[in-house]
Amino acid sequence: MLKLSWNATTDHVKALAQCRFLDAPRPGLLPSRRRAVVSCYPASKAPSLAVVSDGLAWVEPGSGSLADRLRLGSLTEDGLSYKERFIVRCYEVGINKTATVETIANLLQEVGCNHAQSVGFSTDGFATTTTMRKMNLIWVTARMHIEIYKYPAWSDVVEIETWCQGEGRIGTRRDWILKDYANGQVIGRATSKWVMMNQETRRLQKVDDDVRDEYLIFCPRESRLAFPEENNGSLKKIAKLEDTAQYSRLGLISMPQEIIDSYELQTITLDYRRECQRNDVVDSLSSHEPDENLEAILQLNGTNGSAASPATEDYRQFLHLLRLSGDGLEINRGRTQWRKKPMR
């Protein structure tokens, strides 16, 4: 992102000189800000956005690299979120011909990275602003929550919308909405929290005003949440598992095979505690967790919520713990909810 003031550096002025205006400002698009739309072509760099005086400048659709021109994604009209469409490929599905949870997670990461690049943040995958790079700061994930209501099948087209917003003084938040592009049905939602870390010291750092000014200009002015419901699952704390876990394996992620064979992942929540370095040996622990919300789920599915109801077999919930072998330090905690695979 190029954020320019009248005392901008010579390099910024040169970059701005390579931009051309595409259309006039549209009143009311961004309250209290003037908007100028320009197309920038710095040598050997991807197209970027610029702030001209106190107005915004956007990349011309179709400019930039070949990938930019072919990508089925763009900023929304207000410039405060990003949408992209994806075709589910044959190698992205499992044995039941629907996308795997790994595919869904990869698409969320892809659209998030493309959003960051489309507003001019770094192209190294860390979505850093100019000030962050000067201070050697990066964003790291603190929490991720994904809910999948229906897995897309091979050849389905999925549209994903994503946006960011401030999360207090210590970080930021990114949300996603997943839709079946053919009918507009919401098939999944996700939210994440990110904190700032010094890339050299690996210490967390508060978000200062200069950094906030650089990214909040691209965020919704009012709070917009993928999970606006009160007491939603994304807020639920994850209990810590101890050595009495029902399932554990050294160095591998463990889940009972009967769950993997008969169930599909519906919801996953991860809390990140520390980094896992290359060659670290990791213990994975999992245990079944009774779900106090199961009765409500069953009622929504047309059952009476009775413990004797066959529908109680349709859902499973687990706690997970990844830790470093030896010293037992936590890497992350997790919770997963599983539902019976549909008959196909």
Side-chain angles (χ1 to χ4, degrees):
M1 170 58 51
L2 297 176
K3 182 181 180 184
L4 304 182
S5 62
W6 293 118
N7 60 350
T9 64
T10 302
D11 288 342
H12 286 172
V13 173
K14 289 181 178 178
L16 184 59
Q18 301 175 67
C19 303
R20 60 186 177 88
F21 283 81
L22 302 177
D23 59 46
R26 283 178 277 177
L29 185 62
L30 294 178
S32 74
R33 299 182 186 275
R34 298 200 306 275
R35 183 177 184 273
V37 183
V38 302
S39 178
C40 303
Y41 301 91
S44 73
K45 292 184 179 179
S48 59
L49 303 166
V51 175
V52 183
S53 183
D54 61 348
L56 285 180
W58 304 94
V59 174
E60 176 186 14
S63 66
S65 69
L66 179 61
D68 292 330
R69 297 195 296 272
L70 296 179
R71 187 174 289 124
L72 299 177
S74 63
L75 291 167
T76 55
E77 186 175 356
D78 63 5
L80 302 180
S81 68
Y82 176 91
K83 288 183 179 180
E84 187 165 352
R85 300 185 297 279
F86 301 92
I87 301 172
V88 178
R89 311 293 184 178
C90 65
Y91 53 81
E92 295 175 322
V93 303
I95 58 175
N96 59 348
K97 297 182 181 179
T98 59
T100 64
V101 67
E102 180 182 10
T103 294
I104 299 297
N106 286 339
L107 292 181
L108 295 180
Q109 181 176 350
E110 174 72 12
V111 74
C113 289
N114 291 343
H115 178 210
Q117 292 189 41
S118 72
V119 298
F121 294 157
S122 69
T123 59
D124 57 5
F126 289 112
T128 53
T129 67
T130 302
T131 300
M132 289 178 66
R133 290 191 293 276
K134 290 178 180 178
M135 300 174 66
N136 205 26
L137 300 173
I138 58 174
W139 294 111
V140 293
T141 312
R143 185 176 175 91
M144 173 71 73
H145 179 84
I146 303 172
E147 293 187 11
I148 305 171
Y149 312 125
K150 180 184 177 182
Y151 281 85
W154 178 15
S155 296
D156 281 355
V157 179
V158 179
E159 181 180 74
I160 304 177
E161 181 176 6
T162 187
W163 63 94
C164 289
Q165 54 201 325
E167 185 75 9
R169 298 295 301 179
I170 61 172
T172 188
R173 170 185 180 132
R174 177 176 289 279
D175 286 24
W176 296 263
I177 298 288
L178 298 87
K179 292 183 179 181
D180 184 328
Y181 186 67
N183 56 28
Q185 178 187 5
V186 175
I187 60 174
R189 297 183 290 173
T191 186
S192 59
K193 293 183 179 180
W194 300 74
V195 293
M196 193 172 294
M197 184 177 76
N198 186 291
Q199 198 167 9
E200 289 184 350
T201 65
R202 319 308 287 183
R203 293 178 180 273
L204 299 184
Q205 182 168 324
K206 288 186 178 181
V207 182
D208 63 28
D209 290 338
D210 287 341
V211 173
R212 287 172 60 84
D213 288 345
E214 286 179 316
Y215 76 83
L216 286 183
I217 196 170
F218 301 106
C219 299
R221 304 297 180 264
E222 298 180 358
S223 179
R224 181 184 176 193
L225 307 176
F227 297 93
E229 304 88 352
E230 188 175 355
N231 299 321
N232 65 80
S234 71
L235 303 174
K236 188 177 180 181
K237 291 184 178 180
I238 303 174
K240 181 183 178 181
L241 276 178
E242 304 295 346
D243 284 324
T244 54
Q246 293 171 299
Y247 313 97
S248 61
R249 297 184 67 180
L250 179 65
L252 294 173
I253 296 176
S254 63
M255 275 299 294
Q257 191 61 42
E258 63 269 20
I259 297 296
I260 296 175
D261 292 341
S262 302
Y263 291 78
E264 64 182 12
L265 186 64
Q266 173 176 294
T267 303
I268 181 169
T269 309
L270 297 173
D271 280 343
Y272 296 90
R273 303 303 175 105
R274 61 177 31 82
E275 292 182 286
C276 180
Q277 304 291 346
R278 182 180 298 178
N279 298 324
D280 281 345
V281 179
V282 175
D283 296 335
S284 176
L285 289 72
S286 300
S287 281
H288 179 263
E289 180 189 35
D291 184 3
E292 67 273 16
N293 296 318
L294 180 58
E295 182 177 350
I297 295 175
L298 295 178
Q299 290 173 349
L300 287 174
N301 284 274
T303 75
N304 60 10
S306 168
S309 170
T312 58
E313 298 299 316
D314 292 346
Y315 296 91
R316 291 287 185 269
Q317 183 165 293
F318 289 86
L319 289 175
H320 306 273
L321 174 68
L322 286 182
R323 67 184 184 190
L324 295 174
S325 296
D327 55 22
L329 293 175
E330 286 186 80
I331 299 171
N332 67 8
R333 298 183 188 184
R335 174 182 288 111
T336 57
Q337 296 174 324
W338 303 72
R339 60 174 174 251
K340 264 300 193 189
K341 289 182 178 177
M343 299 297 294
R344 297 189 182 275

